[in-house]
Amino acid sequence: MTDTYVGDVSRTIEILQAVLATELVCVLRYTQHSIVANGLASEGVKKEFAQHAKEEQEHAMSVAERIDQLGGAPDFNPKGLASRSASEYTTGADLVSMIKENLIAERIAVDHYRELIRFFGDNDPTTRVMIESILAVEEEHASDMLDLLATHGGVKD
Ligand SMILES: [Fe+2]
Ligand SMILES: [Fe+2]
């Protein structure tokens, strides 16, 4: 990290720990869903869940690297992970509930990251740009879940 950092570094690290936890919970949720989803129509959905799990893992890694760059220690402790995360770990009873739960989690992430982008603004452009690139993927994820919901008979909201 350079000594020209304008923002509050410890506050930034704290925020990024919550983002890291959110991403890790997303990895766990999508991974679980990709394995337990079943039924005739589930093959494509399982693949989509697995792909999202992989992308959430990439997000977690970028955020963890940024925390390290800022002089923090990325928190991968499973203890308290759920409470540090902005979204929940949920296991759906069927395909449509899983899709809905992922859609909710994606929307929470999208709202949260949009807020963070405004927060970082020009004080920390490096972190802001990272969150912006993560946000673009979360928006795609939300849209993928909406499409799956339409395909699999869930009602859009
Ligand atoms: Fe993500
Ligand atoms: Fe996502």
Side-chain angles (χ1 to χ4, degrees), residues 37-123:
N38 55 40
L40 282 176
S42 70
E43 273 319 302
V45 182
K46 284 164 85 88
K47 272 190 196 138
E48 190 90 42
F49 288 165
Q51 177 63 30
H52 285 201
K54 191 176 152 270
E55 287 163 357
E56 309 299 10
Q57 171 71 22
E58 289 165 11
H59 297 165
M61 294 308 286
S62 323
V63 174
E65 290 289 354
R66 182 61 182 149
I67 292 171
D68 179 67
Q69 272 176 12
L70 291 168
D75 190 352
F76 283 82
N77 195 337
K79 199 176 173 196
L81 180 65
S83 57
R84 294 194 301 277
S85 166
S87 61
E88 280 179 61
Y89 177 85
T90 46
T91 52
D94 53 54
L95 207 56
V96 169
S97 352
M98 286 178 196
I99 298 168
K100 283 182 175 167
E101 282 159 6
N102 290 313
L103 178 59
I104 292 169
E106 294 295 351
R107 284 176 169 168
I108 290 170
V110 164
D111 286 348
H112 186 45
Y113 297 166
R114 280 184 186 152
E115 210 175 288
L116 292 183
I117 287 163
R118 285 191 295 270
F119 174 80
F120 289 118
D122 295 332
N123 280 350

Side-chain angles (χ1 to χ4, degrees), residues 19 22-24 26-27 30 52-53 55-60 106 109 113 134-135 137-138 141:
V19 174
T22 303
E23 295 296 340
L24 291 173
C26 288
V27 172
Y30 272 125
H52 285 201
E55 287 163 357
E56 309 299 10
Q57 171 71 22
E58 289 165 11
H59 297 165
E106 294 295 351
Y113 297 166
I134 294 176
L135 172 64
V137 177
E138 309 304 7
H141 286 173

Side-chain angles (χ1 to χ4, degrees), residues 3-14:
D3 49 11
T4 57
Y5 191 89
V6 180
D8 175 344
V9 182
S10 60
R11 177 82 187 109
T12 298
I13 291 171
E14 195 186 317

